[in-house]
Amino acid sequence: MARTVPRRSARRKGSKIPPAPLILSVTLFCKGIVRDADNAVLAAKFCLDTLVLYGYLPDDNPRYVKSIVLTTSKGKENKTVILLQPYAEKP
């Protein structure tokens, strides 16, 4: 049976998310064999859904998230690093 999680309307105190629009960068670090970058797609999806669910972003549409960058790299441990940066329009 599916469980619904209530949407949080307020940001956590002291949040440091830059103003929209944003670029979401997801980097998968792999200790062994480096995975394809497309494996980071689910991490990006879940990250954006969680930011919306907890009130950090009003929505994950193109008005708020302009670009998603997926990267994989060799690392000392298996981990995923999520980075949010402001999107700068080119003049």
Side-chain angles (χ1 to χ4, degrees):
M1 179 177 204
R3 195 178 107 191
T4 7
V5 179
R7 184 180 177 138
R8 311 283 173 120
S9 59
R11 290 183 180 185
R12 287 188 180 188
K13 195 174 185 178
S15 67
K16 300 282 184 189
I17 295 194
L22 300 172
I23 298 171
L24 172 72
S25 296
V26 178
T27 304
L28 297 180
F29 288 95
C30 304
K31 195 163 75 170
I33 298 170
V34 177
R35 307 287 180 217
D36 297 340
D38 63 352
N39 288 323
V41 169
L42 281 177
K45 168 86 174 121
F46 292 137
C47 176
L48 286 173
D49 288 348
T50 302
L51 290 170
V52 171
L53 178 70
Y54 283 90
Y56 290 99
L57 289 175
D59 202 341
D60 58 0
N61 66 31
R63 178 177 177 197
Y64 300 100
V65 181
K66 289 284 188 185
S67 179
I68 298 173
V69 179
L70 307 174
T71 311
T72 58
S73 184
K74 189 92 168 154
K76 293 181 180 179
E77 60 182 326
N78 294 328
K79 66 179 178 180
T80 302
V81 175
I82 308 286
L83 179 64
L84 291 168
Q85 300 172 297
Y87 178 83
E89 294 282 343
K90 293 185 179 179

